[in-house]
Amino acid sequence: MFEVDQDILKVMSQRDMVSIPLEDIYYIESSGRKMNVYCQEDRCISAYGKLNDMEKALEQAWQKAGEGRNRFLRCHQSYLVSERYIQGVYPGHLMVQGNKISITRKYAKIVEERQEDIVKEIKMAHNNDSIGIIKGIAGKYQGAVITIYPHKTIWLGRNPEQVDIVIMSDDVSRKHCSVTYLGQSMGYLVEDCSVNGTFVLGGPRLRSDEENRVPEGAPIYLGSQKNIFQLM
C-alpha cells in the first residue's frame, strides 16, 4: 500500500505508515510483489505494490505540483530512478549513487529523450558549478551523460585497459584523447594523442600531444563525425 501526497511518498511497511520525501529517494526497485525504496541515509524501505502503479502515482503528483514531467525515470521493467541522483548515463546502464542499473531496450529511447532533463537535474544538484558533463551527441554514446569533476581527467579511446570511455571504432586510436574539466566558466583541456585527430566541430584539428583549451558547450569529435561529444 502506498500513496503520493504532494512531495511525500507514504508507504505501508511492516504495518507502519512511513513518509519519505520524494527528494530523498534514489530509486525504486520492483522485486516480486514488493517494491524496495532506496533513499538517503542508506535506507531501504519495502512495501507491497506494483511499479507501474507507482510510476502513475508519481506522474500525477508532479502534474498536480505544476511540473511538466515526472522527475522519476523508467529505465527498466524493475526500476524507477530519480533524475537528480543519476551520476551517469552509459550505453546499457545508469549509475545511481554508485549502483549500476540496467537500461533495457524497451526503455532506451525514453532515456535518450530525457538526456537534457537529466543534464539539468545533475547541474542543479551540484549548484551548477562543481561538475562538468560529457554528453554523447552521435555514435555509440549518443544519449550518454558522463559526469566529470573539476581537475579530473577522463580518457577516451579504443583500448579498455587504457581509457575510461571505450569507443570501438576504426578511426579512434587505442588511447585517443583526454578531457580535463577546469571548473565553471573555465572550460576544458583536451589533449589529442591520436593518429586521426580530435576536432572541435566546425573548427581545426586540436594540436597533438599538448593540452588545448576548449570552452564549455563545444562539441568535439574523434577521428570522424561518427563519434561526437559535447563538453557541458
Side-chain angles (χ1 to χ4, degrees):
M1 175 182 173
F2 66 87
E3 63 180 64
V4 182
D5 183 9
Q6 295 183 343
D7 57 353
I8 301 291
L9 172 63
K10 298 178 180 179
V11 299
M12 182 65 73
S13 180
Q14 297 180 349
R15 299 184 180 180
D16 292 321
M17 185 63 77
V18 180
S19 296
I20 312 165
L22 294 182
E23 65 179 16
D24 287 356
I25 298 172
Y26 298 151
Y27 61 93
I28 303 170
E29 174 193 39
S30 174
S31 179
R33 296 171 58 204
K34 286 188 176 182
M35 294 181 295
N36 299 315
V37 182
Y38 294 87
C39 46
Q40 290 185 8
E41 300 178 356
D42 294 325
R43 292 192 301 163
C44 176
I45 299 165
S46 297
Y48 286 101
K50 296 179 179 179
L51 201 61
N52 286 344
D53 294 337
M54 176 66 78
E55 184 178 19
K56 291 175 184 176
L58 288 168
E59 189 167 345
Q60 290 170 0
W62 289 119
Q63 288 174 350
K64 286 181 181 178
E67 296 284 346
R69 60 185 175 81
N70 186 355
R71 292 180 185 270
F72 282 79
L73 173 65
R74 190 73 175 265
C75 64
H76 187 284
Q77 188 66 27
S78 300
Y79 289 96
L80 265 173
V81 175
S82 173
E83 289 178 352
R84 67 179 292 142
Y85 292 109
I86 293 175
Q87 296 166 305
V89 182
Y90 299 85
H93 72 276
L94 305 175
M95 290 301 299
V96 182
Q97 294 301 110
N99 297 287
K100 187 175 180 178
I101 296 178
S102 294
I103 302 171
T104 55
R105 185 176 299 178
K106 178 180 178 180
Y107 296 99
K109 188 65 177 177
I110 295 172
V111 174
E112 184 178 329
E113 289 171 352
R114 295 274 285 272
Q115 185 187 46
E116 291 297 330
D117 296 327
I118 294 168
V119 169
K120 288 177 184 176
E121 286 292 333
I122 292 173
K123 286 285 191 179
M124 286 175 58
H126 290 82
N127 299 316
N128 292 306
D129 60 358
S130 62
I131 196 165
I133 290 174
I134 301 173
K135 186 172 75 169
I137 301 298
K140 175 187 174 183
Y141 281 83
Q142 182 173 337
V145 176
I146 300 162
T147 53
I148 179 170
Y149 289 91
H151 309 295
K152 177 178 172 59
T153 297
I154 289 180
W155 280 92
L156 298 85
R158 210 172 64 240
N159 189 342
E161 295 181 358
Q162 294 181 296
V163 302
D164 306 293
I165 299 176
V166 180
I167 305 166
M168 301 305 292
S169 180
D170 291 341
D171 45 14
V172 173
S173 296
R174 292 165 64 84
K175 195 174 183 181
H176 195 101
C177 69
S178 67
V179 175
T180 303
Y181 180 53
L182 298 177
Q184 186 184 31
S185 303
M186 297 178 67
Y188 291 79
L189 293 176
V190 179
E191 182 179 0
D192 174 43
C193 302
S194 69
V195 173
N196 293 320
T198 304
F199 302 79
V200 173
L201 193 64
R205 174 174 175 165
L206 299 179
R207 297 182 301 276
S208 297
D209 298 319
E210 63 178 274
E211 294 177 327
N212 299 264
R213 195 74 168 260
V214 177
E216 285 186 30
I220 64 170
Y221 63 91
L222 282 60
S224 73
Q225 294 187 29
K226 290 189 297 184
N227 299 290
I228 304 176
F229 297 87
Q230 187 174 12
L231 307 181
M232 306 286 291

